Amino acid sequence: MTHNLKRTFAMLLLAIFGSTILYNCEPDPDSLGEQLFNDDAAQGNEIAYPVIAYNYNNNDSIRSDAARLISGLSETGAVSTVGVLGAFTESQFGMQRASYVTQLRMPVDNYDFNGANPKVDSVVLVVRPPANTASNTYFFESDSIKTNTFEKSDFPVDGVATAVSIEKKTYPVRKYGKIGGASKSMKINVHEVTTFLDSNDDKFKRSNAGTSISTGELLGSGVFDGNINSISVTKKSDNSVVFTGNLGFRMKLSNTNFFQTHILDKKGKPELQDASNFIRYFKGIKISVDETDRYLYQFSPNDLQLIMYYKYDKTENGNTTRPQTNLAFNLGGASAHIGLYEYNNAGTPAANAVAASNSSVGDEKLYIQGMGGPSVVMKIKDETIADLRKIYVEKKAGILSAKIRVYVDPLSWKNTNSTEDRRFSILTNTLNSNGTIDFSKLAYTSDLSTGLGLYNYNKDKDYYDIIVTKTIKDLVEEKKETVNGQDVPIVNKPLVIGAGTFAANATGTLLGVRNTTRAFDMNRIILTGIDKANTNPKRIQLLVTYATKK
């Protein structure tokens, strides 16, 4: 790997994991003491304890509206959003299919279409990748980018046939699922939405809202072959750029009559009077795929473009011409955005394990899936805390390190057809008394800035270490926390582990406990859970290293 490539990859990791990476510079309070040792070379006494770990059912549903599709903030404060399209089926988790619904708005109220007698020429939908991925080797391998240049003698420039040079660059998107062969292409459909998308209605905020959303006319279809393109058109005569098509997948919609009758023919009528009228008249579009077993890929909802090209009458000095112009609908900003996810997982190992989950004893295999699939709950036993407290009191022991080690299941999950690499952070929340996830704060702490541990997948050893040093020390030493103005003992709370990471701004500051990538994280993974016989060396365990005074 070249120096530049390494630097690019490192910059990407910093962008993705934000403040998580910064913990290398300033140790997480939950890992104090860890920096004194190198990996497994810690000195002192190490003792292992069993951990209760079981599967948690999210009912194949997740909050997936505009407030949850946030991946971060740019240096200018602009919101970066991510959506998912496609479908993937495999034996462990079953089928997961992702669609997307959004509202659209006119660029201005009472749009006058420049002149009389406007007629549609064509309508194009452009689906773009998440921000800044074109130059990022994490999403696009540099040796896989293809550049084609060709010439055209009759390219229309201001209505005149012009000789131009056209450069087209092709980038393969990062896929999660099957790759190549018959799995290369998917049919993408665009439908009119006929249900008003009330963004204040909770039923339009979740990934299973598809049952509440109806569609009408098919506006067009296109075949996506897994690649996105950028195009630059340059005049041969003076090398001036006459057209630039930024990176994306451009799909020409065939139902131009819909846009003629529903948009252009409504010129000057109440339907186009203002945004409130318009979103109740033209309620939105749905983007979906036909297939159920290809791959999932990510796109940028705020960068979607729907462009209508049309001609109109223009009269000057008694002469009437029909120049072409375009109208770009607004699909970002205040519009409703909903990621819709479908599941067909009946009878799969993941569904069976979730249905039979045992929160008292734990489960032998643990299933984690983004976009509303199952999570995992881990609980340190109360008797473990009692035993460690006894050591602490009787031996005057100081805890140097504590981590929950959980292994990737070696036999039942290996997605060899995907570019996914299983390197992802995991979220930690706690459970409320009624068994639901508590999103009011991170596990064990009310301070968001100190609640995020550094959880790394160790490729060589196939395990995750979840650092819980401060957690164990606080419980063993019977520390207190302030709740509603009262000092109360810290409680031994379960951890909820899910695919994804926390969203951050450009400087790495976390955006809040609810702002995570769970709603669009495509990863899924199987971990090894408990072993009732305690003979499996790769069973989930709490590893505590402590030292005593001589």
Side-chain angles (χ1 to χ4, degrees):
M1 183 179 289
T2 66
H3 174 74
N4 288 336
L5 188 59
K6 288 181 178 179
R7 183 173 180 273
T8 302
F9 185 71
M11 291 176 65
L12 169 75
L13 287 178
L14 181 61
I16 290 181
F17 297 115
S19 61
T20 303
I21 299 300
L22 297 181
Y23 282 96
N24 287 326
C25 302
E26 183 175 343
D28 183 344
D30 214 18
S31 61
L32 292 175
E34 292 277 316
Q35 68 271 26
L36 301 178
F37 308 105
N38 293 320
D39 196 19
D40 294 334
Q43 301 299 311
N45 304 289
E46 183 176 88
I47 186 169
Y49 293 95
V51 175
I52 297 172
Y54 59 92
N55 293 286
Y56 183 87
N57 189 2
N58 288 307
N59 297 309
D60 296 338
S61 176
I62 192 170
R63 179 87 179 267
S64 60
D65 60 336
R68 295 295 182 269
L69 298 179
I70 297 174
S71 62
L73 298 179
S74 69
E75 293 181 358
T76 63
V79 176
S80 298
T81 59
V82 176
V84 182
L85 287 174
F88 178 36
T89 300
E90 38 73 26
S91 60
Q92 295 296 319
F93 290 83
M95 191 276 291
Q96 185 182 52
R97 179 160 57 184
S99 305
Y100 176 75
V101 164
T102 184
Q103 290 173 323
L104 61 162
R105 299 163 188 251
M106 298 290 287
V108 296
D109 294 342
N110 279 324
Y111 195 80
D112 67 0
F113 301 100
N114 301 93
N117 195 29
K119 298 295 181 184
V120 175
D121 278 342
S122 62
V123 182
V124 175
L125 176 71
V126 185
V127 183
R128 302 198 184 284
N132 299 323
T133 58
S135 60
N136 232 310
T137 54
Y138 185 74
F139 289 90
F140 304 99
E141 296 295 337
S142 58
D143 59 357
S144 64
I145 300 173
K146 297 179 180 179
T147 301
N148 292 318
T149 303
F150 54 96
E151 297 182 355
K152 191 173 178 64
S153 61
D154 58 350
F155 188 87
V157 178
D158 296 328
V160 179
T162 305
V164 299
S165 176
I166 301 175
E167 181 183 77
K168 179 180 179 181
K169 289 187 176 181
T170 301
Y171 302 75
V173 300
R174 181 172 181 258
K175 306 173 182 67
Y176 191 100
K178 294 180 169 59
I179 297 175
S183 301
K184 179 181 179 181
S185 299
M186 292 187 292
K187 184 180 179 182
I188 296 181
N189 301 312
V190 182
H191 283 87
E192 167 202 15
V193 169
T194 57
T195 303
F196 173 59
L197 304 175
D198 184 354
S199 57
N200 294 316
D201 190 332
D202 286 344
K203 71 182 178 184
F204 296 122
K205 295 180 180 180
R206 302 198 67 84
S207 60
N208 57 353
T211 56
S212 302
I213 298 174
S214 301
T215 56
E217 291 192 45
L218 176 65
L219 304 181
S221 300
V223 176
F224 178 64
D225 65 359
N227 296 305
I228 53 178
N229 306 292
S230 65
I231 296 176
S232 178
V233 181
T234 306
K235 287 174 66 173
K236 298 283 290 182
S237 59
D238 59 7
N239 289 325
S240 61
V241 177
V242 296
F243 178 80
T244 299
N246 293 331
L247 193 64
F249 167 60
R250 299 174 64 88
M251 182 170 64
K252 191 172 182 179
L253 304 185
S254 58
N255 194 348
T256 56
N257 183 63
F258 176 91
F259 289 89
Q260 181 67 45
T261 59
H262 284 71
I263 306 296
L264 293 176
D265 291 350
K266 296 296 182 179
K267 177 182 177 179
K269 296 185 178 180
E271 289 89 337
L272 309 188
Q273 181 177 351
D274 54 37
S276 179
N277 282 8
F278 187 77
I279 61 175
R280 286 166 173 78
Y281 163 62
F282 188 2
K283 299 176 178 64
I285 60 172
K286 177 180 180 179
I287 308 172
S288 61
V289 301
D290 269 358
E291 293 78 10
T292 58
D293 188 14
R294 292 293 190 270
Y295 51 84
L296 302 167
Y297 79 98
Q298 295 177 335
F299 71 99
S300 175
N302 276 349
D303 293 322
L304 277 175
Q305 286 186 298
L306 185 64
I307 307 170
M308 180 177 67
Y309 297 89
Y310 65 95
K311 290 187 175 72
Y312 64 96
D313 289 345
K314 180 179 181 180
T315 302
E316 290 182 337
N317 301 322
N319 296 319
T320 299
T321 58
R322 288 188 59 78
Q324 186 189 70
T325 188
N326 68 77
L327 182 156
F329 294 93
N330 182 2
L331 279 76
S335 295
H337 306 278
I338 312 169
L340 301 180
Y341 309 142
E342 304 170 58
Y343 288 83
N344 184 359
N345 50 19
T348 62
N352 291 341
V354 170
S357 180
N358 189 324
S359 60
S360 299
V361 177
D363 300 333
E364 294 185 350
K365 288 187 179 180
L366 308 172
Y367 295 82
I368 296 177
Q369 183 179 25
M371 298 164 56
S375 300
V376 165
V377 176
M378 298 179 181
K379 175 77 160 57
I380 299 168
K381 293 184 176 182
D382 291 333
E383 49 262 49
T384 295
I385 301 300
D387 185 68
L388 288 169
R389 187 173 294 134
K390 182 178 180 181
I391 296 173
Y392 169 71
V393 172
E394 294 181 356
K395 297 184 179 182
K396 308 299 182 183
I399 294 175
L400 302 177
S401 166
K403 54 196 173 188
I404 297 175
R405 178 164 293 177
V406 57
Y407 283 83
V408 177
D409 184 78
L411 299 178
S412 57
W413 176 246
K414 189 174 183 181
N415 182 19
T416 56
N417 292 320
S418 175
T419 54
E420 60 86 20
D421 53 19
R422 291 193 302 198
R423 287 184 292 190
F424 60 94
S425 294
I426 48 184
L427 307 179
T428 58
N429 296 98
T430 61
L431 291 182
N432 289 310
S433 58
N434 61 1
T436 60
I437 298 177
D438 179 6
F439 287 107
S440 63
K441 59 183 179 178
L442 299 178
Y444 303 109
T445 177
S446 58
D447 184 356
L448 179 64
S449 64
T450 63
L452 177 62
L454 180 58
Y455 309 130
N456 288 328
Y457 167 60
N458 186 317
K459 186 175 181 181
D460 295 329
K461 300 178 182 178
D462 291 342
Y463 61 75
Y464 290 91
D465 275 343
I466 303 174
I467 309 302
V468 290
T469 306
K470 184 177 184 297
T471 297
I472 296 299
K473 286 173 65 69
D474 287 349
L475 291 170
V476 169
E477 297 171 14
E478 299 182 287
K479 296 288 182 67
K480 294 184 178 182
E481 63 178 345
T482 302
V483 178
N484 297 326
Q486 301 292 322
D487 288 338
V488 297
I490 292 178
V491 179
N492 183 18
K493 307 169 187 174
L495 280 74
V496 179
I497 309 299
T501 188
F502 291 93
N505 63 17
T507 64
T509 302
L510 303 184
L511 300 182
V513 65
R514 291 181 178 275
N515 293 311
T516 75
T517 66
R518 286 182 65 229
F520 50 88
D521 190 290
M522 303 180 294
N523 283 293
R524 61 197 71 182
I525 189 170
I526 302 176
L527 304 173
T528 299
I530 68 161
D531 176 35
K532 295 178 181 178
N534 288 331
T535 58
N536 182 1
K538 292 189 175 183
R539 66 188 182 278
I540 185 171
Q541 294 184 92
L542 171 68
L543 305 178
V544 179
T545 302
Y546 68 92
T548 56
K549 293 182 180 181
K550 295 182 179 180

